[in-house]
Amino acid sequence: MGIEEQLPSGVMLSTVEGLAGYARKGSLWPVTFGLACCAIEMMSTGGPRFDIARFGMEVFRPSPRQADLMIVAGRVSQKMAPVLRQIYDQMPAPKWVIAMGVCASSGGMFNNYAIVQGVDHVVPVDIYLPGCPPRPEMLLDSILQLHQKIQDTKLGANRQREIAANEEIALNAIPTSQMKGLLR
Ligand code: SF4
């Protein structure tokens, strides 16, 4: 929105946050983007049986400039990583990312040099969705979880405080390279 950065904190800001969150969560547009087998489940989520249109999301946008949600559906190869990042950079803020499936979340069974071991090495992830592949019901559930997160998103001075707190947590976290996986 732009003007949100100038908003002072207080009761008024809480009201604006609530309204902005409600509008944003009801108008998420995912970017058309599928990397592997998980994308088949993502596509069926858009079909009549699961009907993602119930949540105002029936329009999968072919241009990242018209989208604010990236569903990373499938494993991310090293070759695809810069392309994925470019698409993310072209999306207007605020934007959100769901890592769909174990491959996008952590590399999954592909513990090798060709696959990025978690898409959070490339873009910030809001929701990690487990499963191989996750069923459409699971994707819908993760979208509802994201709705809650969007509803609770802060603006203005409150947002700055939230960013500082998140950065502090990230700096104190164990680096992914030092975490022990199943195959290490
Ligand atoms: S999690 Fe399973 S279904 Fe999804 S991309 Fe990986 S192997 Fe394919």
Side-chain angles (χ1 to χ4, degrees):
M1 285 184 177
I3 196 170
E4 67 192 42
E5 308 308 329
Q6 311 302 325
L7 292 171
S9 59
V11 177
M12 188 63 190
L13 179 56
S14 301
T15 311
V16 175
E17 279 173 355
L19 286 171
Y22 184 76
R24 283 174 175 170
K25 77 175 185 183
S27 57
L28 273 180
W29 283 359
V31 61
T32 308
F33 194 83
L35 293 175
C37 13
C38 272
I40 304 296
E41 300 295 317
M42 183 180 70
M43 284 183 247
S44 44
T45 313
R49 182 168 177 195
F50 297 100
D51 197 12
I52 206 172
R54 288 175 290 162
F55 307 102
M57 299 174 63
E58 63 272 44
V59 195
F60 273 76
R61 302 309 301 176
S63 164
R65 296 181 207 287
Q66 299 165 351
D68 54 3
L69 172 63
M70 173 182 274
I71 302 173
V72 184
R75 78 283 178 281
V76 184
S77 65
Q78 297 285 355
K79 197 170 181 181
M80 200 62 189
V83 181
L84 185 143
R85 178 69 208 198
Q86 185 175 10
I87 291 173
Y88 177 81
D89 287 339
Q90 288 174 339
M91 291 163 59
K95 50 194 167 186
W96 295 274
V97 176
I98 295 176
M100 181 182 181
V102 67
C103 289
S105 299
S106 67
M109 69 190 85
F110 302 106
N111 191 354
N112 61 48
Y113 61 83
I115 301 297
V116 176
Q117 300 299 294
V119 72
D120 50 7
H121 288 277
V122 185
V123 292
V125 173
D126 295 285
I127 301 280
Y128 295 89
L129 176 57
C132 175
R135 293 271 303 144
E137 295 94 331
M138 294 172 71
L139 180 58
L140 287 176
D141 181 62
S142 72
I143 288 168
L144 292 177
Q145 302 282 340
L146 182 63
H147 280 184
Q148 193 56 51
K149 186 171 181 176
I150 294 171
Q151 178 71 64
D152 296 339
T153 299
K154 308 271 184 256
L155 297 178
N158 292 347
R159 178 72 181 145
Q160 295 307 321
R161 273 196 289 274
E162 190 179 42
I163 289 171
N166 287 343
E167 198 168 326
E168 182 74 24
I169 294 169
L171 286 173
N172 292 330
I174 302 170
T176 317
S177 59
Q178 289 178 19
M179 292 180 183
K180 299 290 181 219
L182 287 176
L183 302 179
R184 290 187 185 158

